[in-house]
Amino acid sequence: MSNFVIYDKGYFMKKLLVFCLAISCATISVIAQNLDSLRLVTAAHERLSLPKGAEGYTTKRVNIFSSTQTISVICYSPRSFTTAIVLPEKLTLLSTTAGANGADFGVNAGYWDVTNAKPSTLLRIGGRQIATTADFEKERVDGIVCIAKRKVIIDHCKAGEEGPYVAKYDNILASGPVLIDEGKSVDHEAYTRGMVDNAGGKPVGAFYTYTQRHPRTAIGTDHKGLVYLVVVDGRSEGNADGVTIAELTKICEWLGLCDAINLDGGSSSTMWGKQTGVINHPSRNRKFDHAGERRVSSCIVVKSR
C-alpha cells in the first residue's frame, strides 16, 4: 500500500497563501527598515560645537519606526580624548558633574537605586570597587563598559562574572541590555516572547520596559574603535516619542556600531557639551526644551587629551 497522502487542491492553495503572506510581511518589514534608515541619514542634522577630533549632531522630529524621533549623537576617538566614569558624592546634574571635571562632553551612565540614591550595578573607578550589581538589576544587566587608556571596550558579561574584567581594568561600569555584540545585534524581542504575566499578557519585569518607548542612552564602538554616545529623546508627543530596545538597536546598527550597550534611560537620559550646555531634551520637566535635567548617579565624561 502506498504511504503517500493525497491532499486536495484547496489544502495546497491555503499553504501557498500562508507562505506568500509570510514572504510579503518579511519583505515589507525590510523595506520599512531601509526607508527608516534612509530617512535618518537624509534628515536635517544640527551640527554640535565640539572640540577638534569629535563630531556630533542632533536630528529633530525625524519620522522613523512609524513614530517621531529626536536623536543626538557624538562620535570621538579615544586616542584623542580621555574617557572617564565619574561618580559624584550625591545625585547631581550631569551638566554640573561634567563641568566640575573639566569635561568637553558627556552623558548619564549607570543604573542607580532611587531609594538609596546609590549605584545599583558594578562600578569600579580608579581601581576601587565602589558598587556591585544588586539582585534586582541582574535581569537586565548583561554587559560591561571598560575604560582603558586609549580605548573603550564593551562586552557581554553577566552579573557576577566580571572577575576577568576587574582583574584587567581599573574603570568599569556594568549595564544592559547589550544591543550589539561583536557585530551581531541581540534579539531582545526573543527574550520577551513567552515571558508574560497571567493578567495582561505583557512581558514581565525589565523585559516589559524593552518593548515600551522611552528616552534612552547608549554607548558603542565601531570597527575603527571610535566611540559613539547616543541619546534618544522621548515623552514629548510630536517631538520625540522615545524608542524600544529593539529600535535603539536598529539606530546603533545604522550608525555602523560593532558593539553597543544600553545605559540608564528615562528622564535620566542627558547629553551635555561644554560649548552648548545640555544638548538633548531631557524629559524630567515634560517639556521639549533643555531645562529638564534630572539629578543622576554615575556619568561618562570625555575631555581632550
Side-chain angles (χ1 to χ4, degrees), residues 219-276:
I219 184 171
T221 56
D222 67 10
H223 70 284
K224 295 180 180 178
L226 298 179
V227 182
Y228 287 72
L229 305 176
V230 182
V231 170
V232 182
D233 289 326
R235 301 175 183 172
S236 179
E237 187 176 355
N239 298 301
D241 291 329
V243 290
T244 67
I245 286 295
E247 290 166 348
L248 181 62
T249 300
K250 279 296 176 186
I251 291 171
C252 290
E253 283 181 13
W254 297 337
L255 289 171
L257 304 189
C258 298
D259 293 282
I261 189 170
N262 178 69
L263 300 174
D264 192 17
S267 57
S268 296
S269 284
T270 310
M271 178 180 285
W272 174 89
K274 183 178 181 180
Q275 299 182 44
T276 55

Side-chain angles (χ1 to χ4, degrees), residues 107-140:
V107 294
N108 66 295
Y111 296 122
W112 47 281
D113 185 341
V114 177
T115 302
N116 299 313
K118 294 181 179 179
S120 56
T121 65
L122 174 74
L123 185 63
R124 182 175 170 86
I125 299 177
R128 184 167 69 93
Q129 186 105 347
I130 296 172
T132 57
T133 301
D135 287 341
F136 67 85
E137 295 284 22
K138 290 181 179 179
E139 186 180 40
R140 62 178 173 176

Side-chain angles (χ1 to χ4, degrees), residues 24-53:
S24 297
C25 290
T27 302
I28 291 170
S29 176
V30 170
I31 292 173
Q33 290 178 21
N34 289 339
L35 286 174
D36 282 345
S37 64
L38 181 62
R39 289 191 188 103
L40 185 59
V41 169
T42 58
H45 287 31
E46 297 179 7
R47 293 290 171 182
L48 303 177
S49 296
L50 297 168
K52 184 178 180 181

Side-chain angles (χ1 to χ4, degrees), residues 21-305:
L21 285 173
I23 294 297
S24 297
C25 290
T27 302
I28 291 170
S29 176
V30 170
I31 292 173
Q33 290 178 21
N34 289 339
L35 286 174
D36 282 345
S37 64
L38 181 62
R39 289 191 188 103
L40 185 59
V41 169
T42 58
H45 287 31
E46 297 179 7
R47 293 290 171 182
L48 303 177
S49 296
L50 297 168
K52 184 178 180 181
E55 295 181 350
Y57 59 85
T58 294
T59 300
K60 291 183 180 178
R61 303 180 184 91
V62 60
N63 181 18
I64 56 176
F65 309 127
S66 299
S67 61
T68 304
Q69 302 295 340
T70 294
I71 305 165
S72 299
V73 179
I74 293 177
C75 171
Y76 68 95
S77 169
R79 294 182 175 276
S80 302
F81 292 84
T82 299
T83 307
I85 303 167
V86 177
L87 178 70
E89 292 183 1
K90 59 181 180 180
L91 297 182
T92 308
L93 301 178
L94 166 67
S95 56
T96 302
T97 300
N101 283 270
D104 288 302
F105 50 87
V107 294
N108 66 295
Y111 296 122
W112 47 281
D113 185 341
V114 177
T115 302
N116 299 313
K118 294 181 179 179
S120 56
T121 65
L122 174 74
L123 185 63
R124 182 175 170 86
I125 299 177
R128 184 167 69 93
Q129 186 105 347
I130 296 172
T132 57
T133 301
D135 287 341
F136 67 85
E137 295 284 22
K138 290 181 179 179
E139 186 180 40
R140 62 178 173 176
V141 172
D142 64 352
I144 199 164
V145 181
C146 303
I147 311 296
K149 188 175 182 180
R150 293 186 180 272
K151 62 181 178 179
V152 173
I153 298 96
I154 297 166
D155 205 356
H156 245 310
C157 179
K158 292 183 179 180
E161 299 178 1
E162 306 95 344
Y165 298 92
V166 170
K168 189 173 181 179
Y169 300 104
D170 288 337
N171 299 283
I172 301 172
L173 171 73
S175 193
V178 170
L179 308 173
I180 303 176
D181 183 37
E182 296 183 350
K184 184 177 181 180
S185 295
V186 181
D187 181 9
H188 289 289
E189 289 186 350
Y191 294 169
T192 65
R193 296 183 196 118
M195 301 187 67
V196 297
D197 61 29
N198 293 325
K202 297 177 180 179
V204 296
F207 299 105
Y208 179 44
T209 67
Y210 289 6
T211 61
Q212 294 180 314
R213 288 196 168 120
H214 292 291
R216 308 270 184 186
T217 301
I219 184 171
T221 56
D222 67 10
H223 70 284
K224 295 180 180 178
L226 298 179
V227 182
Y228 287 72
L229 305 176
V230 182
V231 170
V232 182
D233 289 326
R235 301 175 183 172
S236 179
E237 187 176 355
N239 298 301
D241 291 329
V243 290
T244 67
I245 286 295
E247 290 166 348
L248 181 62
T249 300
K250 279 296 176 186
I251 291 171
C252 290
E253 283 181 13
W254 297 337
L255 289 171
L257 304 189
C258 298
D259 293 282
I261 189 170
N262 178 69
L263 300 174
D264 192 17
S267 57
S268 296
S269 284
T270 310
M271 178 180 285
W272 174 89
K274 183 178 181 180
Q275 299 182 44
T276 55
V278 176
I279 292 167
N280 73 309
H281 307 80
S283 62
R284 185 68 170 177
N285 62 353
R286 296 288 178 172
K287 296 179 180 180
F288 192 67
D289 59 21
H290 304 293
E293 265 193 281
R294 178 188 192 184
R295 298 180 187 277
V296 296
S297 181
S298 54
C299 309
I300 292 177
V301 301
V302 185
K303 71 177 182 177
S304 301
R305 292 187 181 277

